[in-house]
Amino acid sequence: MASPSHRRSLRKRRVLVSAAAVAAAGLGASYFVMNANAGTVDLYHQTLAAKDGWASSGSGTTGGTKADSAHTFTVSTRAQLVKALGSASDTTPRIIKVKGTIDANTDDSGKKVSCADYASGTGYSLTSYLKAYDPSTYGRSKLPSGTQEKARAAAQKKQAAQIVFKVPANTSIVGVPGTKAGITGGMLQIQNVDNVIVRNLAFAATEDCFPQWDPTDGDDGNWNSNYDSVTLRGATHVWADHNTFTDAPHLDSANPKYYGREYQIHDGALDITKSSDLVTVSRNQFTNHDKTTLIGSSDSEPSGKLRVSIHHNVYKGIVQRAPLARVGQVDIYNNYYDVTPLNGYALQYSINSRAKAQVVVANNYWKVPSSVKVSKLLSGDGTGAIKGSGNLVNGTTTDLVAAYNAASSKDLKTSVNWTPTLTSALESAAAAKNLPTTLATTTGAGVL
């Protein structure tokens, strides 16, 4: 937004512009916000500001700004959203306004679709699956295969066809203010496309009905699920802003255990993988979640990509991956981390740098209870780097890397091979003391 040029209070006031006034101005029927200092802002045509993180690099991120009236949609049902998205290969600019909450687990008539409906006709049943792959008889050396695994995969494929929304290039998906806009039970898939904006949406209850058992995952095996609320795979120039991510209403504490391991139905909240590049993640709220943001899905992803900026986000009740970074150049600043255990979600770590990732962590604020050691805030594999500065723990400037390295056998490297320059939103270390207060009412869905 433009800097204020007069002497009035810097506090920003927002009022709605009436539809009549908008029409009289010849601006169409979009929803506008009036900012007393910066003028009128059209959320649907708003683009990422210059130098606002990696997504502003090069051509910048403009989403569907150039959409004509034929490619501007207001949607409130799953069927309408699918139609508005069209083909994932269609690069025609489009704006999609989400009005209210869309339930991905509904059919074209709006009828609720259940896990049992997805399993119907595939031959899958959890009871049969558990019997077939019990480690005491099946062993722990290989992935499940055979009749029940094929049936599970078939049921999962049916669910994916229902809940995965493939986003084409040059698209803006924006929640309509005042309507509790969001998607429940679904996944936005931004794959091998360029120039996408996702704003002002609440993502909740993204759940896999059919997790897969992997006895080779870790020492004791794990149940792995298949859907992120928003997933970037080979995507470029993506801006995710003012969204809310949560597992609610089904929290992990309600998950049963099978084979002694949690039956995990949640995967990532916002994952950035498969050599995605030039991404800005700003002013979102992440809460009540385990594996939050994965940057790079493999240690062997090629270098030169996975450049991501993460700023002014709020993390509460997050277990890990805020984010986990591999390979790329990642800038993390002015975020607020409250690592107090919440609803059974207890911290493993906040930020992990591995696979030679080059991470800059500056002017963030951690609220840390006495039960959590400061050395637990970071993690790494011995090859990743974190250059930290101006970070606060309970209001006190703290060297997080030194605290981690003093307690770990796999030290984080302390210097990186790049210097962030796309930091127009960066606030000073002194200003970071106010982040718990300022971000409380300026992040997440519904505040634009």
Side-chain angles (χ1 to χ4, degrees), residues 232-248:
L232 280 59
R233 302 172 182 174
T236 53
H237 289 110
V238 178
W239 180 29
D241 175 74
H242 276 98
N243 302 295
T244 297
F245 298 84
T246 180
D247 288 349

Side-chain angles (χ1 to χ4, degrees), residues 297-377:
S297 52
S298 169
D299 288 357
S300 61
E301 289 202 35
S303 61
K305 302 291 183 67
L306 295 172
R307 292 173 290 180
V308 180
S309 297
I310 298 175
H311 72 82
H312 292 93
N313 300 282
V314 172
Y315 298 89
K316 287 188 177 184
I318 295 303
V319 177
Q320 58 180 316
R321 300 185 182 179
L324 184 156
R326 290 183 168 105
V327 179
Q329 295 174 331
V330 181
D331 196 13
I332 303 170
Y333 61 88
N334 293 148
N335 300 285
Y336 173 49
Y337 297 85
D338 183 348
V339 299
T340 307
L342 178 67
N343 296 323
Y345 294 90
L347 178 77
Q348 288 186 19
Y349 64 84
S350 294
I351 299 170
N352 184 308
S353 178
R354 60 191 304 108
K356 300 182 179 179
Q358 304 291 301
V359 183
V360 178
V361 180
N363 304 355
N364 301 281
Y365 190 111
W366 271 265
K367 179 182 178 182
V368 180
S370 59
S371 59
V372 176
K373 295 180 179 179
V374 174
S375 59
K376 299 280 288 183
L377 302 180

